[in-house]
Amino acid sequence: MLGHDSAEALDPERDFLESGFDSLAAMELRTALNASTGLTLPTAAIFDHKTPAALARYLRKELTAEAPADHEPDGVDDSLYGMFRGAVASGQAAKGFALLRAVAELREQFSSADELDRLPAPTRLAAGTTLPRIICLAPPLATGGAHQYARIASHLRTARDVLALSPIGCRTGEPLPTTETAAVAAMARSVLEAAQGDPFVLVGYSSGGLLAYRVTEHLEATGGPVPTAVVLLDTYKVNVDGEWLLRSMAEHMVSAQSTFGRFDQARLTGMGRYMQFLQEMAPGTVTTPTLFVQCAENFLGSSAEQENWQAEPWDAAHTVVSVPADHFTILEDGSAEVAAAIEDWLES
């Protein structure tokens, strides 16, 4: 599956993503583990535990844990995810997101990046010496993560360091930002730590692109260092397209539960908080060169009634490149075209 000669070639302490895992490989491993253990693991469990050794420790704990005494009757799921999924299934996605925002208020929070003792560590997707290095910002959706950029990183022609960062507050044990300003400042600090003083390019898929753009605005306003370039992968303006877009994303998320599995409270409430920020945020303008990679295919399907479904650049200075993919396949079947577009643009 990964092209290694034997199982011995895999380092049990090496990150799954560095070993060549992408979302498809993780899903295949999850399916095999579920079949052999009888557990019901989400695909996210593979990347949440980062290494084979950490995953093995998690599996041992799950297999030796006692079954809970009480079970929900007749398949009723009154967990946070169950309630959110029910709202989406009944056509009330907006109320589902309102629920997530309300629960987010109960979590530990920070109002300034200066309050943080530590920031989320970057995940290395590829190693190389060619500059600028590439730093990818994961979308703040429950399905988001470093794994979304794994295939794109594997297709890059040039040997670069490729790192991925998740927004703070979207994982268990992390505090949530109280404001969009605090969130962006914390992410900017994470980006500069990951860059280690080297030139860097910011890449963001979907809502991760809005975060990359907003971080660039922040760095330009505060005197930098600023990115060499910004790459936006099919990034919608949530403040304009928010209602139908969030509904579509939520429906996709819950309909693909067999792939994604269940989501914990940290992922869900983090998504609720960041989506609130993005809905209130109008993308501005940066002087940093920006590439807008646009999908040519409608992810809603040819029979969808939604007009203006295509993500559009909001600044005439953006360089636009179209790829033959939709909003979801851009990370999979379209990943080679995306990698080529990034490389060609950086070289030019």
Side-chain angles (χ1 to χ4, degrees):
M1 180 170 63
L2 300 177
H4 298 292
D5 294 332
S6 66
E8 287 70 28
L10 286 172
D11 182 350
E13 295 295 346
R14 189 183 186 194
D15 195 298
F16 280 112
L17 290 165
E18 289 188 70
S19 299
F21 273 75
D22 58 16
S23 55
L24 178 60
M27 185 172 65
E28 292 177 357
L29 176 59
R30 184 281 310 265
T31 300
L33 289 173
N34 284 348
S36 61
T37 64
L39 297 173
T40 304
L41 303 173
T43 303
I46 307 301
F47 297 118
D48 282 349
H49 295 89
K50 291 191 176 294
T51 68
L55 180 62
R57 291 190 290 269
Y58 168 73
L59 291 173
R60 183 181 297 116
K61 179 180 177 181
E62 290 295 301
L63 289 168
T64 56
E66 294 184 5
D70 299 318
H71 300 278
E72 297 294 343
D74 300 324
V76 174
D77 183 358
D78 62 359
S79 67
L80 181 60
Y81 176 59
M83 296 173 70
F84 176 75
R85 183 182 57 193
V88 173
S90 62
Q92 302 180 85
K95 291 183 178 180
F97 278 101
L99 170 66
L100 301 185
R101 292 195 298 271
V103 178
E105 293 294 335
L106 301 176
R107 289 184 54 189
E108 179 187 0
Q109 304 184 44
F110 68 94
S111 58
S112 169
D114 295 333
E115 300 172 20
L116 299 171
D117 296 327
R118 59 187 177 87
L119 296 164
T123 298
R124 175 166 276 102
L125 302 178
T129 57
T130 303
L131 297 175
R133 66 176 60 193
I134 293 177
I135 301 175
C136 306
L137 300 189
L141 297 176
T143 55
H147 63 279
Q148 293 178 298
Y149 298 100
R151 289 199 183 186
I152 293 172
S154 71
H155 287 299
L156 291 172
R157 298 190 300 265
T158 308
R160 302 179 189 273
D161 249 3
V162 183
L163 307 170
L165 287 166
S166 294
I168 187 168
C170 293
R171 299 293 182 270
T172 301
E174 298 176 350
L176 271 174
T178 57
T179 65
E180 182 258 348
T181 300
V184 171
M187 188 161 297
R189 273 184 53 190
S190 295
V191 165
L192 294 182
E193 287 187 9
Q196 297 182 340
D198 289 330
F200 63 96
V201 172
L202 284 182
V203 176
Y205 161 67
S206 191
S207 52
L210 289 175
L211 295 180
Y213 205 78
R214 185 65 184 88
V215 166
T216 303
E217 286 185 78
H218 173 84
L219 291 174
E220 288 186 353
T222 56
V226 299
T228 302
V230 182
V231 179
L232 310 177
L233 305 180
D234 213 45
T235 295
Y236 288 86
K237 294 172 288 186
V238 177
N239 69 310
V240 174
D241 303 313
E243 185 175 347
W244 74 264
L245 183 61
L246 290 184
R247 183 180 67 249
S248 298
M249 295 298 129
E251 289 172 352
H252 175 264
M253 186 175 82
V254 301
S255 68
Q257 182 174 331
S258 60
T259 298
F260 298 128
R262 295 170 59 86
F263 301 103
D264 61 25
Q265 288 193 23
R267 286 178 179 268
L268 291 169
T269 53
M271 176 175 68
R273 174 64 56 84
Y274 276 91
M275 287 302 103
Q276 179 181 1
F277 293 158
L278 294 178
Q279 283 183 290
E280 297 169 351
M281 183 185 77
T285 300
V286 300
T287 59
T288 300
T290 302
L291 173 66
F292 194 100
V293 181
Q294 184 183 61
C295 288
E297 299 173 5
N298 188 347
F299 76 95
L300 298 172
S302 58
S303 61
E305 298 180 358
Q306 175 66 41
E307 298 180 358
N308 302 321
W309 57 266
Q310 195 171 41
E312 297 283 355
W314 52 87
D315 191 321
H318 292 177
T319 299
V320 181
V321 174
S322 180
V323 295
D326 67 30
H327 189 72
F328 301 115
T329 61
I330 189 176
L331 301 175
E332 300 165 355
D333 297 339
S335 56
E337 286 85 356
V338 171
I342 293 173
E343 288 279 18
D344 292 344
W345 185 66
L346 291 178
E347 290 173 5
S348 66

